[in-house]
Each structure stands twice: as structure tokens, then as C-alpha cells.
Amino acid sequence: MTNRKFDTILRPSKDPESLALAAKYLQQGEIVAVPTETVYGLAANALSEESVSKIYEAKGRPSDNPLIVHISSLEMWGELVSEITPDAYLLAEKFWPGPLTIILPKSPKVPMKTTGGLDTVAVRMPSHKDTLKLIQLSNLPIAAPSANLSGLPSPTSAEHCMRDLKGKIPLILDGGECNVGIESTVITLCSDVPTLLRPGKITAEQLSSVLGKEVKISSAILNPLKGGEKASSPGMKYKHYSPKAEVILVRGSLEGFKRKFENSPEGTFALVFTGEEKEFSENTIPYGFEHDPDSQAKNIFSLLREMDDLGAKLVLVRCPHENEALGVYNRLLRAAAFKVEEV
Ligand code: TXA
Ligand code: MG
């Protein structure tokens, strides 16, 4: 079974047996693409070095980029970390199951391969019911990075996973389009002050209000790493989320944006705030309402993929407001390799 690559897509809502099949694959050391509320994940038994190696291989992921481990109960968490601290409990109680990843010192049970050589482990309890059920059925914590090829936009549908991983994995579980659309918020509780390493739907303000203390925002969220600087979250040092087209974030008025678009070469596409597309005659797609970061997050990765399908050479994006939409802004900054133009 382990060498047969079926490329099968099964839908647990129509075919409940598919969860048992996926659980069997995981127990046998195989990798399976699974839906979560944020993005699709590429899942393997987190406690097996051999299984986890298959994730790195299929994604083409650098081996020092640690994986997030997904759990279905607090008991499972207790096995993975040296101690669940009071702060960690507070956050889990408020936000799990849901799009928050919490980093704590790891227990000896977790292989270094899973944590990219670090002595800490990132854990979250996803809220997508298919994947929660799968973790319960397999009775395994599952390591799962986003199920895209390394560097490409994260997948928010089973179809995206198929495109990236065809021929490399035996099964994709189709749980529909992801609700959130960008990856989980990542917070580390291993530093002096709790620190946000990756912004997502759950904001630093929400975390800080539950903890009743300051949450620092890692400088790597908004800035490229300087040469020689060590990444607190290794994922942040790699090129990310990029379609083949060049992406530029354009900050300023709609009028300025229109002028820039009109003076751009053929093959230029525009991603604008919903409603603004009416003001353009062609190649313009809305990506979400200006002051509604959740609506932007839901579409952004699939639209970046669509830009490639449409053959875009250059994509101009109306810049989201970083104070309200830090997660979307962070992903777009990376897709644009930090190119931001003021108009
Ligand atoms: O929403 C999500 O989190 C999705 C779904 C599938 O759950 N997963 C995901 O995984 O986005 P991935 O591997 O694409 O991103 C994991 C991020 C990387 O930036 C990685 O460097 C960071 O989390 N990370 C994982 N473990 C870490 C650790 N021990 N210390 C610091 N950063 C860590
Ligand atoms: Mg990823």
C-alpha cells in the first residue's frame, strides 16, 4: 500500500469511510492532505521521523523549517510538551479548537525532525470537524504544514492540493473551501514576553486581552530578515506565497492606484477592495472589503493562484490596512517580496 500513489480525492461528508482510510494511512506512516479551517495541511504521524520526512520531501521543504502538530485533546498536548503553563491553558481554553498555534518547550517524545531541530514544539487543535475526527480515529498527533509546494500560495481547497501534490500522496480529503483562508496565528510562550511570530485571524490584541499582559510582535512579521539574523520562526526566512507573476502592493488612494494600473504594461492584473472593481474596465478582481480583513483572508491565496491561471505578468494589489489586517498584509508583503509602492 505504501508505494501506491492513488491521487484520490474523497469527501468525508459524502463518504464517511474515507476518514477510516485516512487514519489507516497515517498509522501506516503515509502522508495525507487534510482540510482545516485555515488552509489545507499535509498530515503525517508527528511522532515518527520516517513519516515526517515524507512531508519535507513531498513539499520540497527545507529541513530546518519546523512543523505544526495538530491535536484533538489536551491529554495529547500534555504528551508533546514539557509542561502546559498557565498562560498556555488560558489561550487554549479561549481559542481551541481554532486557528491559534502555541509554542512551548517540547517533550522527549517529539522527534527533532518534526521541530526542525528546535527544542520547542508548535501545537494547535484545529476546528475543522473532519480533521478533528481523523486525529481522534488515528489516535495520533499529526504534523501538518500547509499542503502546498514550498514557496507557493497555501492551498484553500482540495483542488489546490491536487495541483501541487499530484502523484506524491495517496489521498486528499476534501472538506470544502477553508473558512479562514490564511494560516493560524502563531504565538511563542518560550520567550520572556509572549511573542506573536505569525499574524492570523486571532489578533495580538485578542491574545493580550486573554493573557492580561503584553504580547510582543516579532519584527520579522513586517520586515525581511537582515543578513546573518536568526529567525525566531524559521518559516519567516523563506520566500513565500508567491505566484509566478511579480506582485506589488500599492498603498494610497484609489485614484492613484487607477493611474498606476493604466500606465502598467500588458498582462497586468489588479486585486482591489470589493466594490472598487466597477471603476475598472478589465483585468480587475475584488479580493475582499476594505475594512473586513476576514473577507480578504478568505480569498487572497486562491486569487494569487488564479493570477497564474490567467497568465498575469504583474499583479498590483490595493494595500490592506496593516493595523486592521496584519495577517493579510503579512502574506501579501511576502508574496510581493516586500515591494510596496506609494501612490
Ligand atoms: O493554519 C496553519 O497553521 C496551517 C494548518 C495546516 O494547520 N499550517 C501551517 O503550517 O501553516 P506551516 O508549516 O506552513 O507553517 C508553520 C509555521 C512556520 O512559519 C514555522 O517556522 C513555524 O510555524 N513554527 C513551527 N514550529 C515552530 C517552533 N517550534 N518555533 C518557531 N516557529 C515554529
Ligand atoms: Mg506554509
Side-chain angles (χ1 to χ4, degrees):
M1 174 148 145
T2 43
N3 291 322
R4 302 217 319 257
K5 304 296 183 197
F6 294 115
D7 290 331
T8 309
I9 297 189
L10 295 176
R11 195 174 301 192
S13 60
K14 290 217 173 108
D15 176 3
E17 286 301 300
S18 57
L19 287 176
L21 178 65
K24 202 162 98 189
Y25 275 127
L26 292 175
Q27 284 161 345
Q28 290 178 343
E30 268 301 335
I31 54 178
V32 175
V34 300
T36 84
E37 71 279 23
T38 56
V39 301
Y40 274 71
L42 185 55
N45 175 359
L47 302 180
S48 154
E49 292 223 353
E50 205 186 318
S51 309
V52 160
S53 302
K54 294 183 186 172
I55 295 179
Y56 287 94
E57 194 185 311
K59 274 181 66 85
R61 183 180 177 100
S63 63
D64 67 345
N65 192 358
L67 306 175
I68 292 174
V69 181
H70 298 67
I71 56 168
S72 59
S73 69
L74 297 189
E75 291 70 45
M76 228 180 221
W77 195 18
E79 303 269 300
L80 300 172
V81 296
S82 62
E83 183 203 354
I84 303 176
T85 59
D87 280 353
Y89 265 121
L90 277 176
L91 293 177
E93 203 181 7
K94 175 77 186 172
F95 297 110
W96 282 358
L100 177 68
T101 295
I102 302 171
I103 300 179
L104 287 171
K106 78 175 195 70
S107 78
K109 259 191 143 174
V110 183
M112 283 290 183
K113 189 96 210 161
T114 302
T115 63
L118 298 175
D119 53 13
T120 56
V121 63
V123 177
R124 86 176 187 100
M125 190 187 291
S127 67
H128 195 293
K129 64 177 187 341
D130 294 341
T131 295
L132 260 187
K133 190 98 179 276
L134 173 63
I135 301 169
Q136 286 158 358
L137 268 181
S138 63
N139 198 24
L140 291 172
I142 61 175
S146 47
N148 51 303
L149 289 179
S150 218
L152 294 188
S154 296
T156 54
S157 71
E159 154 90 57
H160 296 158
C161 300
M162 181 60 121
R163 286 208 189 181
D164 280 18
L165 298 169
K166 192 171 170 37
K168 295 183 169 181
I169 60 174
L171 177 63
I172 296 168
L173 290 180
D174 183 352
E177 273 182 30
C178 299
N179 260 323
V180 177
I182 59 171
E183 305 87 341
S184 60
T185 302
V186 178
I187 186 171
T188 178
L189 300 179
C190 299
S191 44
D192 300 344
V193 181
T195 303
L196 190 77
L197 297 182
R198 183 173 69 184
K201 181 179 165 68
I202 295 169
T203 64
E205 293 73 36
Q206 285 175 288
L207 296 169
S208 166
S209 118
V210 169
L211 292 175
K213 59 170 108 163
E214 185 207 353
V215 169
K216 253 187 20 197
I217 299 198
S218 165
S219 65
I221 286 174
L222 293 176
N223 304 292
L225 285 179
K226 299 185 195 84
E229 193 180 347
K230 192 169 171 284
S232 51
S233 181
M236 291 195 282
K237 73 185 177 200
Y238 297 106
K239 187 171 143 87
H240 239 125
Y241 315 126
S242 308
K244 291 193 198 83
E246 181 186 3
V247 178
I248 301 178
L249 280 179
V250 182
R251 184 185 277 141
S253 68
L254 179 59
E255 284 313 305
F257 184 93
K258 269 165 85 176
R259 268 197 306 279
K260 165 111 189 124
F261 181 64
E262 278 153 17
N263 292 313
S264 292
E266 216 177 300
T268 301
F269 281 71
L271 294 181
V272 298
F273 296 129
T274 304
E276 294 176 348
E277 70 279 8
K278 294 196 242 18
E279 312 236 353
F280 295 76
S281 58
E282 56 173 8
N283 293 1
T284 304
I285 303 180
Y287 76 91
F289 292 96
E290 178 165 5
H291 298 292
D292 179 359
D294 290 351
S295 71
Q296 299 166 7
K298 203 170 156 87
N299 300 319
I300 198 65
F301 282 139
S302 63
L303 286 175
L304 287 176
R305 284 177 178 259
E306 199 177 321
M307 291 295 108
D308 280 344
D309 297 342
L310 292 169
K313 300 213 164 45
L314 173 64
V315 183
L316 303 179
V317 186
R318 285 272 278 149
C319 191
H321 301 285
E322 69 176 79
N323 52 345
E324 323 175 328
L326 190 59
V328 176
Y329 180 64
N330 163 273
R331 305 313 190 276
L332 282 171
L333 262 184
R334 280 163 177 74
F338 293 92
K339 274 179 288 204
V340 183
E341 276 185 30
E342 312 280 337
V343 290

